Amino acid sequence: MPSKQRKIAMMGYRSVGKSSLIIQFVEGQFVDSYDPTIENTFTKYIRLNSTEYEVKLVDTAGQDEYSIFPLQYSMDFHGYVLVYSITSSKSFQIVQIIYDKLLDMVGKIHVPIVLVGNKTDLHLERKISTEEGKRLAEKWKAAFVETSAKRNESVTDMFHAILSEIERSDGHIPDK
Ligand code: GDP
Ligand code: MG
């Protein structure tokens, strides 16, 4: 049976762990210093609920409040993972800005999104509570997962969550 292809963009402020999450998921290791400017696409084949998926994960160099939403990310993607770090209020602010720009660009009400609060291992430095993250995801009608790329906690769950969100919207690329 041919596998379903899924193309997913990882977005969020710099240094929140976008690349670390992808590398943990695809290669099963934590890389301490990965070049923050690299924009790479990683491919992984996985089986979930008796479906084979070819998952293409597009790592971005990161966005800030001044970034113009890249046009190429508004097309051709099945879903989006929006990552902040639980240790950074700024990164939590930035995911909300990215979300607004994303919805404007994609121009559709429902876009499959998973909101991810990464770096849960740094609990002493936590600035954003689990409740705050959950509330934001509810507002978006998105899935929510807290992860640690470093300890490999809930990393697989998070990628399964985005595949499920895409499945719920039938795997169609959102209309323009
Ligand atoms: P990106 O810019 O969003 O791609 O972030 P990176 O994946 O390059 O990670 C930025 C920094 O945060 C690096 O020093 C990583 O080692 C570190 N980092 C990423 N994820 C975690 C995590 O879950 N826990 C901890 N403690 N550090 C992390
Ligand atoms: Mg990176």
Side-chain angles (χ1 to χ4, degrees):
M1 198 178 78
S3 52
K4 288 188 186 175
Q5 295 192 335
R6 296 293 184 239
K7 196 170 162 195
I8 294 158
M10 295 287 285
M11 307 190 86
Y13 194 42
R14 72 175 92 97
S15 212
V16 295
K18 298 177 298 295
S19 304
S20 301
L21 287 164
I22 294 180
I23 293 165
Q24 182 59 267
F25 181 62
V26 174
E27 297 174 4
Q29 58 174 332
F30 180 68
V31 182
D32 225 332
S33 50
Y34 183 76
D35 183 340
T37 61
I38 295 181
E39 299 212 328
N40 230 332
T41 299
F42 297 79
T43 305
K44 186 169 165 103
Y45 293 86
I46 63 169
R47 192 181 173 84
L48 179 67
N49 302 326
S50 58
T51 305
E52 301 281 349
Y53 291 97
E54 182 200 71
V55 185
K56 283 201 185 309
L57 298 165
V58 178
D59 193 11
T60 66
Q63 296 76 37
D64 63 23
E65 61 270 58
Y66 308 111
S67 301
I68 293 167
F69 194 90
L71 185 63
Q72 77 263 30
Y73 292 132
S74 71
M75 294 175 279
D76 205 27
F77 279 85
H78 296 95
Y80 299 83
V81 177
L82 267 53
V83 188
Y84 65 93
S85 164
I86 63 147
T87 65
S88 158
S89 303
K90 170 95 181 187
S91 72
F92 193 62
Q93 230 177 294
I94 298 295
V95 275
Q96 301 176 61
I97 295 171
I98 296 169
Y99 176 83
D100 290 340
K101 289 181 183 171
L102 171 63
L103 282 218
D104 275 356
M105 287 300 280
V106 176
K108 205 195 170 196
I109 316 230
H110 187 73
V111 182
I113 291 173
V114 174
L115 175 65
V116 175
N118 187 42
K119 306 197 187 184
T120 51
D121 57 288
L122 300 176
H123 47 93
L124 294 177
E125 293 166 47
R126 185 189 274 271
K127 301 274 165 34
I128 305 298
S129 70
T130 303
E131 269 317 305
E132 280 174 277
K134 249 186 213 159
R135 240 179 285 136
L136 182 60
E138 271 164 25
K139 188 168 126 190
W140 294 353
K141 298 186 172 35
F144 174 64
V145 186
E146 281 192 341
T147 58
S148 169
K150 185 168 186 168
R151 295 206 179 143
N152 195 15
E153 279 167 9
S154 302
V155 176
T156 305
D157 295 348
M158 156 203 145
F159 286 105
H160 287 180
I162 187 63
L163 292 175
S164 301
E165 286 296 305
I166 293 166
E167 219 46 59
R168 290 207 300 142
S169 69
D170 267 334
H172 293 308
I173 301 254
D175 297 331
K176 290 290 297 158

